[in-house]
PDB file of all heavy atoms in Angstrom:
ATOM      1  N   PHE A  31      11.288 102.430 217.734  1.00 86.00           N
ATOM      2  CA  PHE A  31      10.985 101.527 216.630  1.00 86.00           C
ATOM      3  C   PHE A  31       9.724 100.711 216.888  1.00 86.00           C
ATOM      4  O   PHE A  31       8.928 100.469 215.982  1.00 86.00           O
ATOM      5  CB  PHE A  31      12.163 100.604 216.342  1.00 86.00           C
ATOM      6  CG  PHE A  31      13.344 101.313 215.753  1.00 86.00           C
ATOM      7  CD1 PHE A  31      14.598 101.152 216.303  1.00 86.00           C
ATOM      8  CD2 PHE A  31      13.197 102.145 214.657  1.00 86.00           C
ATOM      9  CE1 PHE A  31      15.687 101.811 215.763  1.00 86.00           C
ATOM     10  CE2 PHE A  31      14.278 102.808 214.110  1.00 86.00           C
ATOM     11  CZ  PHE A  31      15.532 102.640 214.669  1.00 86.00           C
ATOM     12  N   LEU A  32       9.520 100.286 218.126  1.00 84.00           N
ATOM     13  CA  LEU A  32       8.312  99.540 218.468  1.00 84.00           C
ATOM     14  C   LEU A  32       7.076 100.421 218.319  1.00 84.00           C
ATOM     15  O   LEU A  32       6.069 100.012 217.753  1.00 84.00           O
ATOM     16  CB  LEU A  32       8.413  98.992 219.892  1.00 84.00           C
ATOM     17  CG  LEU A  32       7.209  98.210 220.400  1.00 84.00           C
ATOM     18  CD1 LEU A  32       6.963  96.988 219.527  1.00 84.00           C
ATOM     19  CD2 LEU A  32       7.413  97.809 221.842  1.00 84.00           C
ATOM     20  N   ASN A  33       7.163 101.640 218.806  1.00 85.00           N
ATOM     21  CA  ASN A  33       6.039 102.569 218.708  1.00 85.00           C
ATOM     22  C   ASN A  33       5.714 102.872 217.246  1.00 85.00           C
ATOM     23  O   ASN A  33       4.551 102.858 216.839  1.00 85.00           O
ATOM     24  CB  ASN A  33       6.384 103.852 219.468  1.00 85.00           C
ATOM     25  CG  ASN A  33       5.198 104.777 219.607  1.00 85.00           C
ATOM     26  OD1 ASN A  33       4.064 104.368 219.418  1.00 85.00           O
ATOM     27  ND2 ASN A  33       5.468 106.012 219.940  1.00 85.00           N
ATOM     28  N   GLU A  34       6.737 103.130 216.457  1.00 89.00           N
ATOM     29  CA  GLU A  34       6.521 103.431 215.040  1.00 89.00           C
ATOM     30  C   GLU A  34       5.954 102.228 214.292  1.00 89.00           C
ATOM     31  O   GLU A  34       5.045 102.368 213.468  1.00 89.00           O
ATOM     32  CB  GLU A  34       7.836 103.877 214.400  1.00 89.00           C
ATOM     33  CG  GLU A  34       7.689 104.267 212.949  1.00 89.00           C
ATOM     34  CD  GLU A  34       8.996 104.709 212.355  1.00 89.00           C
ATOM     35  OE1 GLU A  34      10.011 104.005 212.561  1.00 89.00           O
ATOM     36  OE2 GLU A  34       8.996 105.740 211.672  1.00 89.00           O
ATOM     37  N   ALA A  35       6.467 101.036 214.585  1.00 89.00           N
ATOM     38  CA  ALA A  35       5.972  99.823 213.922  1.00 89.00           C
ATOM     39  C   ALA A  35       4.508  99.578 214.257  1.00 89.00           C
ATOM     40  O   ALA A  35       3.731  99.152 213.399  1.00 89.00           O
ATOM     41  CB  ALA A  35       6.824  98.628 214.325  1.00 89.00           C
ATOM     42  N   CYS A  36       4.128  99.850 215.496  1.00 86.00           N
ATOM     43  CA  CYS A  36       2.722  99.670 215.884  1.00 86.00           C
ATOM     44  C   CYS A  36       1.822 100.692 215.200  1.00 86.00           C
ATOM     45  O   CYS A  36       0.733 100.358 214.733  1.00 86.00           O
ATOM     46  CB  CYS A  36       2.576  99.773 217.396  1.00 86.00           C
ATOM     47  SG  CYS A  36       3.267  98.379 218.283  1.00 86.00           S
ATOM     48  N   ARG A  37       2.273 101.931 215.155  1.00 91.00           N
ATOM     49  CA  ARG A  37       1.450 102.970 214.525  1.00 91.00           C
ATOM     50  C   ARG A  37       1.291 102.740 213.031  1.00 91.00           C
ATOM     51  O   ARG A  37       0.203 102.918 212.483  1.00 91.00           O
ATOM     52  CB  ARG A  37       2.050 104.353 214.760  1.00 91.00           C
ATOM     53  CG  ARG A  37       1.815 104.884 216.142  1.00 91.00           C
ATOM     54  CD  ARG A  37       2.256 106.334 216.307  1.00 91.00           C
ATOM     55  NE  ARG A  37       3.706 106.441 216.268  1.00 91.00           N
ATOM     56  CZ  ARG A  37       4.400 107.033 215.300  1.00 91.00           C
ATOM     57  NH1 ARG A  37       3.788 107.580 214.284  1.00 91.00           N
ATOM     58  NH2 ARG A  37       5.712 107.078 215.333  1.00 91.00           N
ATOM     59  N   LEU A  38       2.362 102.338 212.361  1.00 92.00           N
ATOM     60  CA  LEU A  38       2.333 102.158 210.916  1.00 92.00           C
ATOM     61  C   LEU A  38       1.984 100.735 210.485  1.00 92.00           C
ATOM     62  O   LEU A  38       1.882 100.459 209.294  1.00 92.00           O
ATOM     63  CB  LEU A  38       3.698 102.543 210.319  1.00 92.00           C
ATOM     64  CG  LEU A  38       4.153 103.977 210.569  1.00 92.00           C
ATOM     65  CD1 LEU A  38       5.541 104.196 210.009  1.00 92.00           C
ATOM     66  CD2 LEU A  38       3.155 104.968 209.994  1.00 92.00           C
ATOM     67  N   ARG A  39       1.832  99.843 211.454  1.00 91.00           N
ATOM     68  CA  ARG A  39       1.548  98.428 211.191  1.00 91.00           C
ATOM     69  C   ARG A  39       2.570  97.826 210.234  1.00 91.00           C
ATOM     70  O   ARG A  39       2.236  97.155 209.269  1.00 91.00           O
ATOM     71  CB  ARG A  39       0.134  98.246 210.669  1.00 91.00           C
ATOM     72  CG  ARG A  39      -0.894  98.684 211.672  1.00 91.00           C
ATOM     73  CD  ARG A  39      -2.282  98.535 211.148  1.00 91.00           C
ATOM     74  NE  ARG A  39      -3.203  99.146 212.088  1.00 91.00           N
ATOM     75  CZ  ARG A  39      -4.342  98.611 212.432  1.00 91.00           C
ATOM     76  NH1 ARG A  39      -4.722  97.481 211.902  1.00 91.00           N
ATOM     77  NH2 ARG A  39      -5.121  99.219 213.281  1.00 91.00           N
ATOM     78  N   ASN A  40       3.819  98.077 210.554  1.00 88.00           N
ATOM     79  CA  ASN A  40       4.942  97.624 209.747  1.00 88.00           C
ATOM     80  C   ASN A  40       5.268  96.172 210.100  1.00 88.00           C
ATOM     81  O   ASN A  40       5.831  95.888 211.150  1.00 88.00           O
ATOM     82  CB  ASN A  40       6.152  98.522 209.997  1.00 88.00           C
ATOM     83  CG  ASN A  40       7.316  98.180 209.120  1.00 88.00           C
ATOM     84  OD1 ASN A  40       7.256  97.252 208.319  1.00 88.00           O
ATOM     85  ND2 ASN A  40       8.384  98.939 209.260  1.00 88.00           N
ATOM     86  N   LYS A  41       4.938  95.261 209.214  1.00 89.00           N
ATOM     87  CA  LYS A  41       5.160  93.837 209.460  1.00 89.00           C
ATOM     88  C   LYS A  41       6.601  93.409 209.184  1.00 89.00           C
ATOM     89  O   LYS A  41       6.994  92.309 209.545  1.00 89.00           O
ATOM     90  CB  LYS A  41       4.204  93.006 208.611  1.00 89.00           C
ATOM     91  CG  LYS A  41       2.769  93.194 209.021  1.00 89.00           C
ATOM     92  CD  LYS A  41       1.845  92.380 208.163  1.00 89.00           C
ATOM     93  CE  LYS A  41       0.412  92.641 208.571  1.00 89.00           C
ATOM     94  NZ  LYS A  41      -0.527  91.928 207.729  1.00 89.00           N
ATOM     95  N   ALA A  42       7.388  94.277 208.592  1.00 90.00           N
ATOM     96  CA  ALA A  42       8.773  93.932 208.286  1.00 90.00           C
ATOM     97  C   ALA A  42       9.630  93.816 209.538  1.00 90.00           C
ATOM     98  O   ALA A  42      10.639  93.122 209.531  1.00 90.00           O
ATOM     99  CB  ALA A  42       9.377  94.971 207.347  1.00 90.00           C
ATOM    100  N   VAL A  43       9.246  94.465 210.619  1.00 86.00           N
ATOM    101  CA  VAL A  43      10.049  94.442 211.849  1.00 86.00           C
ATOM    102  C   VAL A  43       9.550  93.415 212.865  1.00 86.00           C
ATOM    103  O   VAL A  43      10.092  93.323 213.958  1.00 86.00           O
ATOM    104  CB  VAL A  43      10.114  95.837 212.502  1.00 86.00           C
ATOM    105  CG1 VAL A  43      10.830  96.817 211.594  1.00 86.00           C
ATOM    106  CG2 VAL A  43       8.738  96.330 212.870  1.00 86.00           C
ATOM    107  N   VAL A  44       8.560  92.635 212.509  1.00 86.00           N
ATOM    108  CA  VAL A  44       8.025  91.635 213.438  1.00 86.00           C
ATOM    109  C   VAL A  44       9.075  90.622 213.883  1.00 86.00           C
ATOM    110  O   VAL A  44       9.153  90.324 215.080  1.00 86.00           O
ATOM    111  CB  VAL A  44       6.777  90.944 212.845  1.00 86.00           C
ATOM    112  CG1 VAL A  44       6.369  89.742 213.668  1.00 86.00           C
ATOM    113  CG2 VAL A  44       5.632  91.931 212.742  1.00 86.00           C
ATOM    114  N   PRO A  45       9.927  90.105 213.010  1.00 89.00           N
ATOM    115  CA  PRO A  45      10.945  89.163 213.495  1.00 89.00           C
ATOM    116  C   PRO A  45      11.902  89.790 214.514  1.00 89.00           C
ATOM    117  O   PRO A  45      12.390  89.117 215.408  1.00 89.00           O
ATOM    118  CB  PRO A  45      11.703  88.755 212.234  1.00 89.00           C
ATOM    119  CG  PRO A  45      10.755  89.005 211.123  1.00 89.00           C
ATOM    120  CD  PRO A  45       9.934  90.185 211.547  1.00 89.00           C
ATOM    121  N   LEU A  46      12.138  91.083 214.393  1.00 85.00           N
ATOM    122  CA  LEU A  46      13.055  91.751 215.303  1.00 85.00           C
ATOM    123  C   LEU A  46      12.373  92.214 216.590  1.00 85.00           C
ATOM    124  O   LEU A  46      12.871  91.973 217.685  1.00 85.00           O
ATOM    125  CB  LEU A  46      13.686  92.962 214.596  1.00 85.00           C
ATOM    126  CG  LEU A  46      14.639  93.808 215.419  1.00 85.00           C
ATOM    127  CD1 LEU A  46      15.881  93.001 215.765  1.00 85.00           C
ATOM    128  CD2 LEU A  46      15.024  95.049 214.649  1.00 85.00           C
ATOM    129  N   LEU A  47      11.234  92.870 216.471  1.00 85.00           N
ATOM    130  CA  LEU A  47      10.572  93.469 217.631  1.00 85.00           C
ATOM    131  C   LEU A  47       9.405  92.654 218.172  1.00 85.00           C
ATOM    132  O   LEU A  47       8.902  92.950 219.255  1.00 85.00           O
ATOM    133  CB  LEU A  47      10.061  94.869 217.270  1.00 85.00           C
ATOM    134  CG  LEU A  47      11.126  95.888 216.935  1.00 85.00           C
ATOM    135  CD1 LEU A  47      10.491  97.190 216.481  1.00 85.00           C
ATOM    136  CD2 LEU A  47      12.030  96.126 218.121  1.00 85.00           C
ATOM    137  N   GLY A  48       8.981  91.635 217.449  1.00 85.00           N
ATOM    138  CA  GLY A  48       7.828  90.838 217.874  1.00 85.00           C
ATOM    139  C   GLY A  48       7.974  90.209 219.243  1.00 85.00           C
ATOM    140  O   GLY A  48       7.071  90.337 220.080  1.00 85.00           O
ATOM    141  N   PRO A  49       9.092  89.544 219.547  1.00 86.00           N
ATOM    142  CA  PRO A  49       9.237  88.949 220.876  1.00 86.00           C
ATOM    143  C   PRO A  49       9.215  89.984 222.004  1.00 86.00           C
ATOM    144  O   PRO A  49       8.624  89.751 223.054  1.00 86.00           O
ATOM    145  CB  PRO A  49      10.587  88.243 220.808  1.00 86.00           C
ATOM    146  CG  PRO A  49      10.795  87.967 219.361  1.00 86.00           C
ATOM    147  CD  PRO A  49      10.165  89.123 218.646  1.00 86.00           C
TER     148      PRO A  49
END
Side-chain angles (χ1 to χ4, degrees):
F31 291 129
L32 179 61
N33 189 16
E34 183 180 47
C36 289
R37 283 188 290 112
L38 301 176
R39 298 179 188 222
N40 184 359
K41 294 179 182 177
V43 296
V44 169
L46 178 66
L47 295 175

